[in-house]
């Protein structure tokens, strides 16, 4: 189901007219929503506006599943998707906290990290794996 949900989310994201209508009320009371809609209007509907549907997009999504134990007992497919999450604009406010957590973990556990995960080793693997 995940690919179907991802296509649905992308289709919604590309339909700015629908998004503007759906978020109209929210934008009247939420500064962030109003600001994001304003950015979209300037970039995609202003002079020389770009086509959102033709722009390169990256959706970072997480699908949450739960085990349906009753279905599993009957021998049916037991994993059920219960939620689809996208990283919100507000996620950026957590970046500093996350950086601090990474520093703490590195300070405490760096001596236990496998040398195969060194920046140099990872970089070499990425150079082989990523197309140019």
């Amino acid at each position: 189901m995940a690919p179907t949900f991802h296509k649905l989310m992308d289709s919604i994201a590309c339909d700015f007219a629908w998004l503007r209508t759906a978020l109209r009320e929210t934008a009247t009371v939420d500064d962030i929503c109003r600001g994001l809609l304003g950015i979209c209007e300037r970039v995609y509907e202003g002079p020389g506006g770009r086509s959102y549907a033709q722009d390169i997009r990256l959706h970072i999504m997480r699908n949450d599943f739960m085990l349906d134990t009753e279905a599993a007992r009957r021998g049916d497919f037991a994993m059920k998707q219960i939620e689809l999450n996208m990283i919100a604009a507000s996620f950026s406010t957590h970046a500093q906290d996350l950086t601090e957590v990474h520093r703490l973990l590195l300070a405490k556990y760096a001596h236990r990290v496998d040398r195969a995960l060194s920046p140099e080793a990872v970089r070499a693997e990425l150079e082989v794996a990523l197309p140019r």
Side-chain angles (χ1 to χ4, degrees):
M1 293 270 317
T4 303
F5 279 119
H6 294 179
K7 287 178 185 173
L8 173 64
M9 296 299 287
D10 186 62
S11 295
I12 290 169
C14 290
D15 189 347
F16 185 59
W18 183 87
L19 280 172
R20 184 182 15 236
T21 301
L23 296 171
R24 183 178 294 133
E25 270 188 58
T26 303
T28 64
V29 295
D30 186 279
D31 292 338
I32 293 173
C33 181
R34 182 173 43 258
L36 290 172
L37 286 173
I39 291 169
C40 285
E41 287 171 358
R42 287 190 304 277
V43 170
Y44 296 106
E45 295 181 339
R50 298 181 348 209
S51 167
Y52 188 82
Q54 293 178 0
D55 262 356
I56 295 172
R57 296 178 304 286
L58 170 65
H59 301 298
I60 300 175
M61 300 183 205
R62 186 188 82 223
N63 298 286
D64 292 344
F65 298 86
M66 288 188 76
L67 179 64
D68 181 344
T69 55
E70 292 299 316
R73 284 190 195 109
R74 294 189 309 268
D76 292 336
F77 183 69
M79 297 301 291
K80 304 293 182 187
Q81 182 169 358
I82 59 165
E83 192 171 7
L84 171 68
N85 295 295
M86 298 180 80
I87 293 180
S90 62
F91 186 76
S92 64
T93 61
H94 302 295
Q96 182 61 38
D97 295 333
L98 189 56
T99 300
E100 294 302 320
V101 169
H102 288 161
R103 283 190 184 121
L104 173 71
L105 292 173
L106 282 172
K108 188 169 183 175
Y109 298 108
H111 67 282
R112 298 168 89 181
V113 173
D114 184 338
R115 294 297 162 223
L117 296 176
S118 72
E120 295 77 21
V122 171
R123 187 177 308 112
E125 291 296 323
L126 287 174
E127 286 177 6
V128 171
L130 296 175
R132 294 211 179 255

